[in-house]
Amino acid sequence: MELTCLSKGDGFHYPPCHMLNLSGFRILIDCPLDLLALTIFYPLPCDVGIEAYGQNDQNPIQKKQKLERQMTPDDLVCAEPWYKTVKALHLWEASLIDIVLISNPMGLLGLPFLTQHPRFCAKIYMTEATAKIGQLMMEDLVSMHMEFRRFHGPEDSSFPCWTKNLDGEEVPGVLKNLVFGENGDDLGSWMRLYSLDDVKSCMKKVQDVKFSEEVCYNGTLIIKALSSGLDIGACNWLINGPNGSLSYVSGSIFVSHHAKNFDFHGLRGNDVMIYSGLSCLQTSEMTENDCISTISENNDGSLAASLLDNEESLEELEKLAFVCSCAAESADAGGSTLITITRVGIVLQLLELLSNSLESSSLKVPIFVISSVAEELLAYANTIPEWLCEQRQEKLISGEPSFGHLKFIKDKKIHLFPAIHSPNLITSWQEPCIVFAPHWSLRLGPSVQLLQRWRGDPKSLLVLEDGISSGLGLLPFRPIAMKILQCSFLSGIRLQKLPTLLSLLQPKIVLVPDFVNQRINLSTMKTKSILSYSENKTLSVGRIAENADVEIMAELATKLSWKKLRQRENFGIARLKGDFVMENGKQRLVSGLDQEESSGKARTLRHWGSVTPETLLESLVKMSVTGSIEHRRGENGAEGKSIIYITNPSGGMIETSEMGTAIITDDETVASKIFQAIDGILDGI
């Protein structure tokens, strides 16, 4: 097995990406876009609406000092955005990828770049909910990009000309790093955005699955999606094959208030576990003593209970409640709130909490959701109970909608509009208001125009999601007087919970990112080995299972003629003729036995072990075959050879050495007796 980390990712919006070589098949796990790289672009045409942030004309001395001064909007790229795919993915031959596994909707956004390749023929697996939500997100991204082009006009160049202007010494290091990468080899990762037709073509190639549904690839690998708890439809992967079992743990949350909880059961006791889903919230460190006590003092029940406590989920609810209170305060002061969070589960919960909060107060503040897919996405969220947590499922069973926004949409307290220039939005608009608007990068979509409108209002509030630098993200809009609230939500498993998780799942081999070992001691874990992998490097793992299982049909097994071995107690062996096939991820022996073999009359074809010349001659004497032994020493202390000279009933010779045994005789009767003597001493079949 080989694992190549193409990208270690950067939280929820840019999940990790890996290439796995397992049982001869090449598997790509997730194919995201680095949407943080969009922040190098200017969100509006350079001559539209944003005040100067410093002097545009610079003499050579000022240009040399550009790295030392604060960045200005003039440093950003004023052109149609290009999109950065996973580093080095474009270097892989698309036709050599056999399987693509998508863990969550964010891991789907870069897939159309791959599927539009004419030689791409891989099988793509993802959950039904991930496929639906991911497709809507891609369609919304295309819609926002097309809106951007209406301002800038299309750029006909097949290669982005703006890269030439970012390669100079005077260009700030932050921009150069986003464009070219730390080693300067990321330029090939930039591509023009795909079209709606590309999205539809991509999704036609997808085979969607349900949680715990088994799918078989090529009769060899059994693949199963297990809930990760991160978001609706997000999953971890379990792969069973002839050489063992492997689990891939992506960004996960143990207890969720909207999505189905983390599924432990299918991940237990696997041969290999690839761990990639770390949270960006690493607020505390795990010490060696903590790790030892976690392993030694708890059984499986208490380990699972410690992971399924409500502490983290309550913290998340407190954050959402705080966002609601800040929005209410701004509205009470006469200011509007712009929420640029695009994480589906968080948006659904915020809409519910905000609506309930406003309904219980005296504030009459409208909530607008502006997105080309808002109506379809919010409607879909109330039709998928099987992907939701138990509390949401129980609400649906009791006759209530899974999420409360449905009621408020009917009561016209939440208003849905496809675009900021929709005629109905213009007639319904009133301030103060609360607006949910993409995109979280602040470079695309209605959030750009609204931020431009309210940036000078100190009573208004901007809610950002963690992952975007407020410095670079807000650079085009400065000076900004709005209040800014940047929220960090769980995007994976906290580092301090990793030892407990490993103790519960007990994989034999664990693969973790290299920085994990720098922050936590895993040497005391009860696993066969813990290996570290690094970005853009291939890690080879030996045989992942000690013994491969082979299934034999019961009818076939009853016909086997077992022979007990002399050199190994309680060990039998049998010979058969049949076919060895791979079916549903399992190795099977099929067909029947040769009748001569099954009756036990078959001649032994292979022997193993060693026999001393004295023991062999003693057995021959019992068969009336006599002879003598000569031992010859090798040259320079090397091991020699032994020769048995057969004298009666006819001549012959048996020569034995570490290289093998040679039997020479013209008498078939003598040759047969020599074979019988060897067969009586050595194990054979």
Side-chain angles (χ1 to χ4, degrees), residues 8-16 228 230 249-254 262 275-285 312-313 315-316 319 343 465-467 487-498 501 513 515-516 519 533:
K8 62 184 179 182
D10 188 19
F12 174 82
H13 292 102
Y14 187 36
S228 69
L230 179 66
V249 179
S250 61
S252 302
I253 296 176
F254 296 122
F262 185 94
Y275 180 77
S276 68
L278 288 173
S279 172
C280 59
L281 303 177
Q282 302 299 339
T283 56
S284 60
E285 296 292 335
E312 286 185 348
S313 59
E315 287 180 7
E316 296 298 285
K319 294 174 187 175
R343 188 163 155 181
E465 190 170 357
D466 188 50
C487 306
S488 296
F489 297 102
L490 272 178
S491 58
I493 299 169
R494 279 194 166 105
L495 193 58
Q496 61 266 31
K497 290 200 171 185
L498 176 57
L501 178 65
F515 59 84
V516 170
R519 301 190 60 185
Y533 60 84

Side-chain angles (χ1 to χ4, degrees), residues 557-563 573-575 593 597-601:
T558 57
K559 296 179 181 179
L560 295 175
S561 178
W562 295 96
K563 180 178 180 180
I573 193 167
R575 200 169 90 216
L593 291 168
E597 294 177 5
S598 63
S599 63
K601 298 179 181 179

Side-chain angles (χ1 to χ4, degrees), residues 1-3 511 531 537-542:
M1 188 201 89
E2 291 182 343
L3 177 72
L511 277 58
L531 306 176
K537 292 184 179 179
T538 299
L539 174 65
S540 297
V541 181

Side-chain angles (χ1 to χ4, degrees), residues 143-394:
S143 174
M144 289 185 287
H145 183 86
M146 295 305 295
E147 183 71 17
F148 192 101
R149 291 187 66 178
R150 292 189 184 98
F151 281 99
H152 284 273
E155 186 177 296
D156 297 328
S157 174
S158 60
F159 189 80
C161 300
W162 45 262
T163 57
K164 301 175 183 178
N165 302 324
L166 296 177
D167 201 20
E169 294 182 0
E170 72 279 1
V171 177
V174 174
L175 292 182
K176 294 181 71 172
N177 187 52
L178 282 172
V179 175
F180 302 105
E182 294 181 1
N183 300 319
D185 52 2
D186 284 8
L187 189 56
S189 301
W190 289 91
M191 297 185 182
R192 285 181 174 278
L193 187 61
Y194 39 74
S195 66
L196 284 177
D197 288 338
D198 293 328
V199 173
K200 293 177 182 177
S201 175
C202 171
M203 298 310 296
K204 287 179 181 179
K205 297 179 172 68
V206 170
Q207 178 176 338
D208 53 44
V209 299
K210 299 181 183 299
F211 284 146
S212 299
E213 177 187 352
E214 291 186 347
V215 291
C216 182
Y217 177 80
N218 199 38
T220 305
L221 299 179
I222 301 296
I223 302 171
K224 186 189 297 186
L226 302 171
S227 176
S228 69
L230 179 66
D231 212 342
I232 299 173
C235 69
N236 297 316
W237 292 100
L238 176 64
I239 307 174
N240 281 296
N243 299 319
S245 58
L246 178 144
S247 59
Y248 180 85
V249 179
S250 61
S252 302
I253 296 176
F254 296 122
V255 179
S256 171
H257 283 281
H258 65 283
K260 208 172 186 67
N261 286 347
F262 185 94
D263 186 348
F264 293 98
H265 303 292
L267 299 175
R268 288 186 174 183
N270 292 308
D271 295 304
V272 175
M273 171 179 159
I274 301 173
Y275 180 77
S276 68
L278 288 173
S279 172
C280 59
L281 303 177
Q282 302 299 339
T283 56
S284 60
E285 296 292 335
M286 171 67 72
T287 66
E288 183 177 355
N289 291 334
D290 292 331
C291 183
I292 293 173
S293 64
T294 299
I295 298 169
S296 60
E297 297 177 5
N298 294 309
N299 56 33
D300 282 1
S302 58
L303 288 173
S306 67
L307 294 175
L308 292 173
D309 62 36
N310 289 323
E311 182 180 352
E312 286 185 348
S313 59
L314 291 176
E315 287 180 7
E316 296 298 285
L317 286 179
E318 289 175 1
K319 294 174 187 175
L320 295 174
F322 183 71
V323 173
C324 294
S325 65
C326 292
E329 288 179 7
S330 292
D332 194 37
S336 296
T337 297
L338 172 60
I339 300 175
T340 61
I341 296 172
T342 52
R343 188 163 155 181
V344 173
I346 300 298
V347 170
L348 292 173
Q349 292 179 86
L350 268 178
L351 278 172
E352 189 174 60
L353 291 172
L354 273 170
S355 301
N356 288 326
S357 175
L358 293 175
E359 188 177 43
S360 62
S361 70
S362 59
L363 291 172
K364 303 298 180 183
V365 180
I367 299 176
F368 298 105
V369 183
I370 307 174
S371 168
S372 62
V373 298
E375 185 173 354
E376 186 174 358
L377 181 58
L378 293 180
Y380 177 72
N382 273 309
T383 62
I384 49 172
E386 66 272 26
W387 304 101
L388 305 180
C389 63
E390 291 184 3
Q391 301 94 312
R392 301 284 177 183
Q393 293 180 9
E394 290 171 359

Side-chain angles (χ1 to χ4, degrees), residues 43-71:
L44 291 171
C46 297
D47 57 349
V48 174
I50 294 181
E51 299 171 6
Y53 186 85
Q55 298 179 358
N56 293 328
D57 298 328
Q58 297 174 351
N59 59 42
I61 297 177
Q62 288 176 315
K63 288 184 177 180
K64 289 182 180 179
Q65 295 173 343
K66 202 169 187 178
L67 283 175
E68 302 174 5
R69 63 165 175 78
Q70 187 179 13
M71 287 180 57

